Every structure is written in structure tokens, then in C-alpha cells.
Amino acid sequence: MTVIIAEKPSLARNIVSGIQQGGGAQMQRKNGYFEGGGYIVTWAFGHLFSLCDIEDYTGTSGKWSMQGLPCFPESFKFKLRPGADKKTDEGVVKQFDTIKYLCTRPDTDTIVNAGDSDREGEIIIRLCVMHTGALDELDQNGKPKRRFCRLWLPDQTPETVAKALSEMKDEQEYDNLANEGFARTYIDWLYGVNLTRYATLKTGTLLRVGRVIVPIVRAIYERDMAIRNFVPSIYYVAVSKEKTKDEEIELVSKVKFEQDNYTGVEALCAKYNASKAIVISKKTKKETINPGKLFSLSKLQNLLGKKYKMSMADSLAIVQKLYEEGYLTYPRTNSEYLATTEKDKIKKIIQNIKNIGYPVVFKDKKTIFDDSKIESHSALTPTYKIPKKEHLSEKEMLVYQTVLRRFVSVFCDEECLAQKTEIVIDVGGYEQFTLKGVIIIQKGFMRFDDSEKKDKILPPLEKGDEVNIDFKPSEKQTSPPKHYTIETLNNYLKNPFREDKAALSDKSDADKSDADKSDVSDTPENDDEDYRAIFEGLELGTEATRTGIIDNARKSGYIQLKKDVYTILPDGEYLIEQLSHMNISMDKYKTSLLGQALKRVYRGDISVTDSVRLAQDEIALVFEKKKIPIELDTDMGFYGDVVGICPLCGKNVVKGKYSYGCVGYKEGCNFKINSIICKRPISLANARMLLGEQKQTSLIQGFISKNGKEFSARLKLDGDKTVFDFS
């Protein structure tokens, strides 16, 4: 008997359909599983097991404390996932008991891992099987009684299931994938459990500190701080907007003049206006414009967010549902390419799509089929199964149609042809201006793709024509960086070390030339750098986890999403600033180093233990007590630490969230010492000195004045006020 364990009940039902369509006997529904034709199909509910808590290792219980921190288990332990109330989840227990019974049945000779085809799905089912003990039973020859196999499904259509069942590989071939999954799980636990507790105990506020969530929040924080602190600078350029042959021609000089040099731009305008503007070249040619690439998950989410303001969480939920219903391939893919082995499958899909009226034809191109740019899964595409309108909600149909139309555009049977024109105008030999225009003369894929560009019509100029000009000074100002959007944040997270030129540009829209505005890219961008970043582990999060982590940051109140724009919230500012004060360096560099280690585990270059040790070493630095001179000390102690006696009412002053305050505040005592003064953390030791006999601190270095200059000073208590002492 072959026992197949699906990750979810919906997948189990699809596997049953695949078995029955493949000629197997009809399967009967039992209590927690299906059985028939030599197969048993059961399921998990996603994660049935979770890592044990610190208390499970230390034997302690109750409120969080520093006892047992940092916690670095010699071996990581799992337990059945508890319910929301932290108590036993009877449904989880019952389903695992079913799985254990089925795996250890005397007639079971094969167990199949049918988790989702990714790291997480790999270890979800492995953990279930490992805890049944079924693989530990040996036959009379001392060999395992049961074979352990993997069912790898690129989509959930019955045909794919039937084919995959005949091609199952030994589970051992997926050991490296599982090792990376376990290493990722252990490392995320180490960071989350140790640093979340530490930061929460320090501040008295629950701070969710994770390997990926913090760099994501930090990126949004740093961008928003750059926008908030941006001071625009004024400059001048020479601009001409005159009509020639009844068409206005805008010429914007690339020569910039500072705000205090208005006479300079006036002189340039006069010099240009005293000259002639002549068309020195005109090039017109017909070119083929190529469609965009197939979708990875993040590229699909980018488009849905930008065009329809759909959040990543909503779009992923819909794509996942369409996958589970067999309409789309596996969604959590980081590739925009198809595998060369999939050509026959794609031909069948193309035929089905052609049958419903789309003009598609099979194309065998490197821009479509490229094994070198696939890690685990190919691009997201429709399957041969096509939904009827009444089967999907309006949003589900919108998402499905978006994927379908991109697929159609890639395999469109008609080329997209454009007439491109480039005109160069020379002004007195001083400066040349380029005008570009594109006219679509045969739409091809643009009938289906969402990225259609508007035509730009140029005036009917020919080489040798004179262009009317009247240059005048035009005031411009530099623009601040732009807030992260769904698209730009996703692009940043996929490759955080690639410069975001669009965000950092100081061009205003008015300052862009006609060439900037009208150009249409006719070749797919060179994405080698992005795929190298993905395969090396430089990305922050993965396609499988990124959406959930960003959504967690939203639910935690650290960031907000309005339409498709992310901004930082006060709690997010507090998180990043407090971690900085605690010298917890959770940035893209540290996260990427660990990401690279995880990829080395996947390649078999290092062990799970090696990667975990890297994380432990980083975490240990946070807890390491260093002797720091008092003038440089920034340690603000732990929430609730007693600082001293209140000079107003005689009660205790304790460490709070934002200050060292008197516990008598409920009775009206308002005494407090700000824990941050002039951007400088005031250490617990200095606060205690301030409330001591001398009523002043030692010299403190690192204060920042309003104009950004660093200075040193003592603090002293003047009545109930904290003031600077520069003596």
C-alpha cells in the first residue's frame, strides 16, 4: 500500500482525482483519508509541527525573562502545533494520529511526501513522517521496511498528478532542499526567539525581531527618513518651447546653473537664441518590439499592485487558490523562464488556449526556455485547464486573465512592429538635442499585454530644416526619493544591492527630455544580475515567504500600505530606532550573509550545523557584555529597572518605554528624564548618576545639535529639569 501525505486537504482531493483519472480504482472517503486502488491519500493542515519554545528547553515557565537567554539548543526539538490559546489543538492531534496509523500499517510499503514543491512543503511532510517512526522499522534483513518517495507537482491538474505519480523519485534526492529548509527554520527561530525576547524585555514593548522582517521595515524607514529630511535645491536650465511646422518642440538644455547663478542661464539663453537650430540627422527604421517575460510571483504581484492596487497578501491568496483549483502552475516561483523539458506540455497548453480564440503559436526561444535561470520552479503560467467565468470571482478572474494575457503575449502569433524615429537638432554647435518617437504600426502582443505604450508623434522635420527656438530660463528643483511601492519594494528585496536609480534620481518629470519620456524598450532587460543575486542568496526573504513577512509587518503596525505605497508608522520607527540603540544590527548585509549560507547548504557545500553556527555567533554578540567607557555608554537597561529616587515625590524612578519616569505619575508626579536627548541615548548608568548625590552625569559624547553637529556635554539636574552642563 502506498500512503501519500498531502500538505493540505485541497491537494489531497486533487491527488485523488489524478489517481482516478489515471485509471486507478475509485477511492473511498474514510475518516481523515481516502483509500482505493493500492493508494491511501491523507493530509496535513500545513504545519502540524512547530519548533519547541525556550521554556521547553529550560524547564521554566511564566513571564519572559533573561533566564536562559541566549538559547542555543544542542539539537532542535519539534512538537505538535498548539492552538491559538497555546493549548493542545485536538484537530492537529487527531490528524497526526491518522497519519501515524496509516504510515505504520503493516501493509504500507511506500510513503510519499506530497508537500508543496518548495522548502517549506518539503519539511512539513518530512517532520510528520519522521515523528511516526515508520521509517525506523526494519525488515528481517535489517533494511527499512518502507520506501520514502517524493511527489513533485508543478501544478495540480489531474493529468499532471497522474504523470508525476509514475515519475516519483526517492526522497533522498531532495535532502539538500530539506536541509536548507531546516536550516532556514532553525536560524529564523534563533533570531526571532532570542532577539524578540531581548528587545521586548529592554523596552517593555513587544518588538518583533526577525531575520527578514527587520531589514524590510528598515528599508521603508530609511527611505521615509530620506524623504522627510530632504531639502530641495533650486537650479536653472534653458528651455525652448516654440512651434515649427505647427508642432511645438520642447528643447531642454542639460546644462544646469545653481540658484545663485541666474545671470549664467540668462547668458546661455542669449547665446543659444543668437544661433540657429538645425536638424542634423533623422533616422527612421522599423523594429520588432518583444513582449515582456512570463511572470514570477513577485513580477505578477508588482503588476497587480501597480495597476489594480492589490496588496501582495491578496494577490498571493488568489494565485494560491487558482493553483489549488488547477488553473495556474505553482505560484511561489522566482523565475520568469520555462524549463526545456516542458516544451511538450507548453504545446498542449497553447493548443487549448488557441481553441478558445487566442492567436498563439509555439516559440522555442532562449528568452522563454532557459534552464540556467530556474532554481526549483518555472515561470507562472496557465495550465491546460481553463476556468469558466462562473467558476471564479471577479478578482480571481482578473488575476487569471492577467497571467493568461501575459502567456498569450509571449506566444502571440503576430509580431509587434514599430516605426522608430530619432531626430537630432544642433543649436549653434553648442549643444545637441535628441527627439525620439515611436509609432506602433502592428500591435501584435500589445493587443493583450498591459504594458502598451502610447505613440509619440514627432513633427515632420527633415535633415537641414531650421527649428524655431526661444530659450528662456526655467526654474527647477531637485525631487526627494520616492516612497516604496509594491513594485519597487519587491524589486529591492529581490536584489537589495542593485542601485535603485529611479528612487535616487534628482530629475523632476518636467526636467526629463523627450527622449526620456518616449523611449520604448524593445528588448528584454538583462536580468543576469538579478538571477545571480537570487541563486547566491542575496535576496531578502524568498518568493515563498516574502509576502507573509511583509503582511506580518503590516499587522504588527510597523508599516502601512495605501493603494500601492508603503510608508513607515510610528511603531516601525520605534522598532528600528530602539534596535539601533541596542546595537542590534539587522540590516540587508547581515541577512544576505545568512541567505548566502543557506544557499551553500542547498548546494551541499556546508552543513545545517555550520549555517546555524553563523547565526548563533551573530546573536551572541548582542548578549556579550563589553566594558564601555561611561562617556560612550548607550545601554538604557531593561524596562522596569529602578534608576533612583524621584526628587519631587520620593518614589522610585524606573526605566519606561520613552523615558526614565517616576512611578508616582498616577498621583500626578510628572518627573522624567528623557531616554533620548539630542539623538543620543542616555544610559542607565548616566541616569543613575543624574539622580545621585552629584545630580550630574559624567561627560557624554555623541549629542547631535539641530544643525547636525556633534557635541559633548554633561547633564545635570536643575530642580526637576535636565539641562546641559558645558563646564
Side-chain angles (χ1 to χ4, degrees), residues 26-27 46 82 115 147 178 197 213 232 243 273-274 333 373 375 397-398 415 431 445 472 478 480 594 598 699 716 727:
Q26 291 297 304
M27 303 191 72
R147 185 186 174 203
R197 293 193 181 204
I213 190 174
K243 282 190 175 183
N273 290 334
T333 174
K373 291 179 178 175
E375 186 177 40
M397 183 57 77
L398 185 151
E415 289 187 326
E431 188 173 353
F445 76 85
K472 297 176 182 178
T478 54
L594 288 169
L598 290 170
L699 186 69
K716 71 176 183 179
S727 60

Side-chain angles (χ1 to χ4, degrees), residues 162-181:
K163 186 172 185 293
L165 282 169
S166 67
E167 298 173 345
M168 289 191 298
K169 296 179 181 178
D170 194 277
E171 176 70 316
Q172 190 174 355
E173 294 194 28
Y174 297 86
D175 282 352
N176 282 352
L177 182 69
N179 288 339
E180 184 192 350

Side-chain angles (χ1 to χ4, degrees), residues 65-84:
S65 71
M66 286 296 292
Q67 184 179 354
L69 292 181
C71 180
F72 300 147
E74 288 187 15
S75 61
F76 289 88
K77 300 175 184 177
F78 290 86
K79 61 183 178 182
L80 282 172
R81 187 190 72 208

Side-chain angles (χ1 to χ4, degrees), residues 420-434:
K420 287 192 167 188
T421 302
E422 181 176 291
I423 296 172
V424 179
I425 300 170
D426 180 83
V427 178
Y430 300 118
E431 188 173 353
Q432 292 181 355
F433 300 83
T434 301

Side-chain angles (χ1 to χ4, degrees), residues 152-328:
W152 192 265
L153 296 173
D155 65 62
Q156 293 191 21
T157 58
E159 183 178 281
T160 297
V161 171
K163 186 172 185 293
L165 282 169
S166 67
E167 298 173 345
M168 289 191 298
K169 296 179 181 178
D170 194 277
E171 176 70 316
Q172 190 174 355
E173 294 194 28
Y174 297 86
D175 282 352
N176 282 352
L177 182 69
N179 288 339
E180 184 192 350
F182 282 119
R184 190 179 296 272
T185 300
Y186 299 155
I187 288 172
D188 287 345
W189 184 91
L190 288 169
Y191 270 92
V193 167
N194 284 297
L195 297 188
T196 292
R197 293 193 181 204
Y198 178 75
T200 299
L201 291 168
K202 293 281 280 186
T203 62
T205 302
L206 176 60
L207 296 182
R208 300 185 188 282
V209 185
R211 182 180 63 89
V212 179
I213 190 174
V214 171
I216 289 174
V217 176
R218 183 183 294 278
I220 297 169
Y221 167 85
E222 290 177 348
R223 176 63 57 80
D224 282 16
M225 292 304 106
I227 294 169
R228 189 180 300 176
N229 299 324
F230 181 81
V231 178
S233 60
I234 305 297
Y235 63 95
Y236 298 99
V237 294
V239 178
S240 172
K241 293 182 179 180
E242 290 295 299
K243 282 190 175 183
T244 299
K245 296 184 178 182
D246 296 326
E247 291 283 347
E248 183 180 85
I249 300 174
E250 181 182 19
L251 304 178
V252 181
S253 174
K254 289 183 171 61
V255 182
K256 295 182 180 181
F257 295 85
E258 299 297 329
Q259 186 175 6
D260 59 357
N261 191 13
Y262 190 78
T263 56
V265 70
E266 283 186 314
L268 184 69
C269 290
K271 182 169 68 172
Y272 283 9
N273 290 334
S275 308
K276 288 187 176 182
I278 305 296
V279 176
I280 61 172
S281 73
K282 179 180 181 179
K283 298 177 183 177
T284 300
K285 59 180 179 178
K286 291 182 180 179
E287 289 190 3
T288 300
I289 298 179
N290 293 318
K293 289 173 287 192
L294 295 168
F295 285 123
S296 65
L297 174 61
S298 58
K299 288 298 176 69
L300 174 63
Q301 290 176 312
N302 288 352
L303 190 150
L304 293 172
K306 186 174 184 178
K307 187 170 183 180
Y308 303 109
K309 313 307 177 190
M310 189 180 295
S311 74
M312 290 175 64
D314 288 345
S315 60
L316 177 59
I318 292 172
V319 176
Q320 179 71 23
K321 184 171 185 287
L322 292 171
Y323 160 67
E324 291 174 0
E325 293 180 355
Y327 299 126
L328 295 180

